[in-house]
Amino acid sequence: MHISCSARKEWQYHIKDWLDFFRSHAKIHSNFQFQYKDIDYAFGQVEENTHLSGGRIADCINLTRVDIYWLYDNGIGIKLPLSNKFISDKQYKESKPFLKQYHRKGNAIITATDKLAKYIKNDFPDYQIEASCIQDIVDTKKLEQKISLGVYDTVVLPIHMNDDVKFLKRIKDKEKIRLFLNVECSYSCPKKICYGTTSKINVGEKEQKEFKCSFWDFGMERTFHKDHIDWNNFYFDKAKFDKIGFTKYKLLPSWEHQQRTVTMYKKNRKLLNLANNK
């Protein structure tokens, strides 16, 4: 198995301690255990900044140089979340020194656009390229088109696709697919507008000053609510996906402030109503 672990932590935490937390939490709350050798990547914001960053606002440091060298020394690569949706040719050119710094076999890039994936694959061939879940690949035709491009080594499916077992079984290139092992708020999000607003902030668009959420800012209802589930300690049944033929997985932090799973509870609709009435 290949476990890709989020390194979205405060910089003061050493990556070893963070990964040990992941391993212990999974052991206690799920039916699988893993070792360092099972981790292919840790992904998060490094010390240097770039317009290519997406997903999260690039105003923090998750992985320090100390973390990165520990990962390298233990055979674990870093995966750079460069999933910005609005990158110009000029901004890509300006980001080349950044890309060169981390360009080595064993490291990877997450992208949200085919254009950026093609640029990086051509200019920095040692990176493994991963299609972000932001690309919202939810049907067989789109998945096969994505794989046929020949630039993606891995495709990450949106979290909710874990529930579509019939679709998962139909996938031919299962070795190219990465599935989520646990959840965050996007699992039940009706319209992932946060990705777009975050991308605009990271490229410096003056008109876009604040992160926006479809739930908190626009009052859109979640696609489903399951209040009986403790989402912070929830894991999918990895053994089921193993039997289908999947080997690559993505693991998120279980901390509420990272994953915002509070929005997955119907009872929190009251919080939104209170906020809108202030």
Side-chain angles (χ1 to χ4, degrees):
M1 62 179 165
H2 305 281
I3 309 293
S4 177
C5 293
S6 170
R8 297 195 187 280
K9 60 178 181 63
E10 302 295 333
W11 69 267
Q12 295 93 334
Y13 290 98
H14 191 283
I15 189 62
K16 179 182 183 300
D17 296 329
W18 188 248
L19 295 179
D20 284 345
F21 166 66
F22 270 96
R23 293 171 59 223
S24 298
H25 193 276
K27 180 180 179 181
I28 293 170
H29 295 285
S30 74
N31 61 352
F32 79 98
Q33 299 181 43
F34 64 101
Q35 308 300 323
Y36 295 145
K37 64 181 178 61
D38 300 314
I39 304 173
D40 52 2
Y41 306 109
F43 60 93
Q45 185 76 18
V46 294
E47 293 184 22
E48 301 79 14
N49 202 355
T50 170
H51 287 306
L52 303 180
S53 295
R56 302 292 198 282
I57 297 175
D59 61 354
C60 64
I61 296 172
N62 305 133
L63 287 166
T64 66
R65 290 185 64 197
V66 173
D67 293 327
I68 290 170
Y69 279 92
W70 185 91
L71 291 168
Y72 288 166
D73 197 41
N74 285 272
I76 302 172
I78 62 169
K79 185 160 55 178
L80 302 170
L82 308 183
S83 50
N84 200 296
K85 301 175 71 173
F86 307 105
I87 292 297
S88 66
D89 290 344
K90 179 177 181 292
Q91 288 165 333
Y92 171 71
K93 185 176 181 180
E94 292 172 347
S95 298
K96 280 190 172 183
F98 170 85
L99 291 167
K100 184 177 180 181
Q101 180 172 346
Y102 294 99
H103 183 223
R104 55 176 278 167
K105 290 186 181 300
N107 284 351
I109 301 286
I110 309 173
T111 67
T113 66
D114 297 337
K115 180 179 179 180
L116 182 58
K118 290 175 182 177
Y119 278 172
I120 295 175
K121 195 71 170 180
N122 181 68
D123 296 337
F124 302 95
D126 285 342
Y127 281 122
Q128 292 282 295
I129 307 296
E130 191 162 279
S132 170
C133 62
I134 297 174
Q135 297 202 32
D136 206 30
I137 299 169
V138 296
D139 59 62
T140 301
K141 181 179 179 181
K142 189 172 182 180
L143 176 59
E144 291 179 348
Q145 288 175 339
K146 194 64 60 175
I147 292 176
S148 68
L149 292 174
V151 295
Y152 293 110
D153 300 285
T154 307
V155 174
V156 183
L157 298 182
I159 301 176
H160 70 275
M161 297 309 295
N162 280 22
D163 297 330
D164 192 343
V165 176
K166 290 183 179 179
F167 167 74
L168 296 179
K169 288 182 177 179
R170 289 198 304 268
I171 296 175
K172 298 176 182 178
D173 301 299
K174 293 183 176 64
E175 73 281 356
K176 286 186 173 289
I177 304 302
R178 194 180 296 274
L179 301 178
F180 281 85
L181 280 173
N182 55 350
V183 303
E184 37 116 85
C185 57
S186 71
Y187 184 31
S188 59
C189 184
K191 190 175 181 64
K192 302 175 180 66
I193 64 170
C194 59
Y195 293 136
T197 58
T198 300
S199 291
K200 290 180 180 179
I201 291 171
N202 287 341
V203 296
E205 284 198 14
K206 296 180 180 180
E207 295 78 10
Q208 188 65 57
K209 298 180 180 180
E210 297 180 353
F211 166 93
K212 296 292 183 181
C213 169
S214 61
F215 178 77
W216 291 109
D217 295 295
F218 294 96
M220 297 181 186
E221 292 287 357
R222 291 306 188 189
T223 54
F224 65 85
H225 299 278
K226 296 179 181 178
D227 283 13
H228 65 285
I229 295 177
D230 178 5
W231 292 110
N232 281 326
N233 297 320
F234 170 84
Y235 288 86
F236 289 103
D237 184 359
K238 177 179 174 294
K240 177 178 68 176
F241 300 131
D242 288 345
K243 290 178 182 178
I244 296 174
F246 296 100
T247 60
K248 294 181 179 178
Y249 298 98
K250 182 173 181 177
L251 194 55
L252 302 167
S254 60
W255 289 6
E256 173 58 47
H257 80 279
Q258 282 280 353
Q259 301 313 110
R260 301 173 300 279
T261 51
V262 68
T263 61
M264 298 162 76
Y265 294 92
K266 187 175 183 179
K267 61 187 178 184
N268 288 305
R269 185 74 196 180
K270 296 177 182 179
L271 297 177
L272 179 62
N273 292 334
L274 289 172
N276 289 338
N277 290 329
K278 286 183 178 180

